[in-house]
Amino acid sequence: MIRTRFAPSPNGLLHLGHAHAAIVAHDLARERGGEFAVRIEDIDGTRSRADLVPEILADLEWLGLAWDGPVVFQSERLASYAAAGERLKAMGLLYPCTCTRAQVAEQAREFGPDGPIYPGTCRGRSAPPDAPVAWRLDMARAAQQAGPLEWLDELAGPQVCRPEQFGDVVLLRKEAPASYHLAATLDDAADGITLVTRGLDLFAASHIHRLLQALLGLPVPVWHHHLLLLEADGRKLAKRRGSPALADLRRAGEDGPALAAALRAGRLPTGLSFGKGVG
Ligand code: GLU
Ligand code: ZN
């Protein structure tokens, strides 16, 4: 049976782009007789807001998107992220890094899908006592240990796994228990997600997730990276650029199921369009 999920980060209210992402995940599950789960990605202590969770769930209900099973929260799974981190450390695949974001930007000579590629400054050093460290994946070593990998996007077709393009990514963050990559990969496995749906902006991240699945012995889902709902100028929707929050539409008495039907039919508000959102 297939199982999909919508996994919002409660850093702000949902907008139309989130509605589209939730509809894709929901509808693919329903069309194929599967299940649709909701996971709240709330481990970014500086940005995550607990008060937004009821708003997000109310938005999904308002759109007519019913989910299966209890809503799960990443903040309740910190032990599993730490355990995976310890396992990767024991495999000799993580090293501590004290560099700040600004230092990384300054040191970087190459750019990957996520921005500056970390040049490995701290590789081979040991953790300084008491200083906060991030733990980075020794990508070359990890990729070598995993061997050649592939993954399947059901829209784009089979992909040769190329995590090296990211360099040594952070898996355990200084200011948060885990990086998005580690938490999402572990959770998709824990939640039995067989079809990972998300926007094309996260297509490249799946190379890292596929590698982590191989290293940690996790089941491998199929991916479905969908088009993004974009502003007329190709930029992502943002409330500050005038895209309404779903909660505002809901409170204004708009018809949620009618909005969902319009998005499904590609009848978009003036100025918005579907696109790849990259390049
Ligand atoms: N929490 C992520 C976001 O809001 C979801 C990414 C994913 O679906 O893997 O963008
Ligand atoms: Zn460093």
Side-chain angles (χ1 to χ4, degrees), residues 5 7-9 18 39 41 180 184 188 196-198 201-202 209:
R5 88 303 193 270
S9 305
H18 295 107
R39 179 171 74 232
E41 304 211 319
Y180 157 67
D188 283 336
V196 172
T197 72
R198 60 180 166 228
D201 53 334
L202 286 167
H209 302 182

Side-chain angles (χ1 to χ4, degrees), residues 2 41 60-61 78 138 143 185 196 204 228 240 259 278:
I2 85 147
E41 304 211 319
L60 295 175
E61 279 171 356
L78 305 187
D138 185 333
T185 303
V196 172
L228 300 168
R240 63 177 182 282
L259 172 64
V278 281

Side-chain angles (χ1 to χ4, degrees), residues 180-181 184-185 198 205-214 223:
Y180 157 67
H181 299 303
T185 303
R198 60 180 166 228
S206 299
H207 291 287
I208 300 173
H209 302 182
R210 179 67 189 89
L211 173 64
L212 292 175
Q213 287 153 5
W223 282 264

Side-chain angles (χ1 to χ4, degrees), residues 38-271:
V38 173
R39 179 171 74 232
I40 303 295
E41 304 211 319
D42 58 347
I43 51 170
D44 189 331
T46 55
R47 300 176 65 207
S48 192
R49 285 174 48 190
D51 58 307
L52 295 180
V53 175
E55 297 288 339
I56 289 171
L57 298 179
D59 290 340
L60 295 175
E61 279 171 356
W62 172 70
L63 288 167
L65 307 176
W67 58 91
D68 299 298
V71 173
V72 297
F73 292 82
Q74 289 197 322
S75 55
E76 293 172 3
R77 294 182 161 171
L78 305 187
S80 104
Y81 311 146
E86 289 309 315
R87 208 168 137 194
L88 292 167
K89 283 180 201 171
M91 292 162 79
L93 297 178
L94 300 190
Y95 63 88
C97 170
T98 52
C99 302
T100 62
R101 202 178 278 267
Q103 284 170 328
V104 173
E106 199 184 306
Q107 295 160 6
R109 296 285 169 271
E110 288 174 278
F111 284 79
D114 252 358
I117 294 184
Y118 181 69
T121 319
C122 296
R123 200 187 299 131
R125 294 186 188 162
S126 51
D130 300 334
V133 298
W135 290 83
R136 290 184 178 273
L137 184 66
D138 185 333
M139 187 59 87
R141 194 183 261 201
Q144 204 215 347
Q145 199 169 113
L149 298 169
E150 288 187 7
W151 55 278
L152 177 66
D153 181 284
E154 64 175 17
L155 301 176
Q159 306 294 316
V160 172
C161 189
R162 297 193 197 287
E164 300 88 343
Q165 60 185 309
F166 285 85
D168 295 351
V169 292
V170 169
L171 292 189
L172 303 173
R173 295 173 54 191
K174 269 184 212 171
E175 69 282 16
S179 73
Y180 157 67
H181 299 303
L182 183 62
T185 303
L186 289 167
D187 284 347
D188 283 336
D191 297 335
I193 304 305
T194 62
L195 181 64
V196 172
T197 72
R198 60 180 166 228
L200 275 167
D201 53 334
L202 286 167
F203 188 92
S206 299
H207 291 287
I208 300 173
H209 302 182
R210 179 67 189 89
L211 173 64
L212 292 175
Q213 287 153 5
L215 296 172
L216 294 167
L218 303 173
V220 182
V222 172
W223 282 264
H224 178 114
H225 292 96
H226 55 75
L227 292 172
L228 300 168
L229 198 51
L230 301 171
E231 304 275 358
D233 61 4
R235 290 193 294 178
K236 280 202 235 176
L237 301 194
K239 208 178 170 197
R240 63 177 182 282
R241 287 197 279 270
S243 297
L246 299 182
D248 294 337
L249 300 174
R250 171 163 55 82
R251 291 217 167 80
E254 298 242 359
D255 183 337
L259 172 64
L263 290 175
R264 287 184 175 106
R267 287 195 310 276
L268 304 179
T270 317

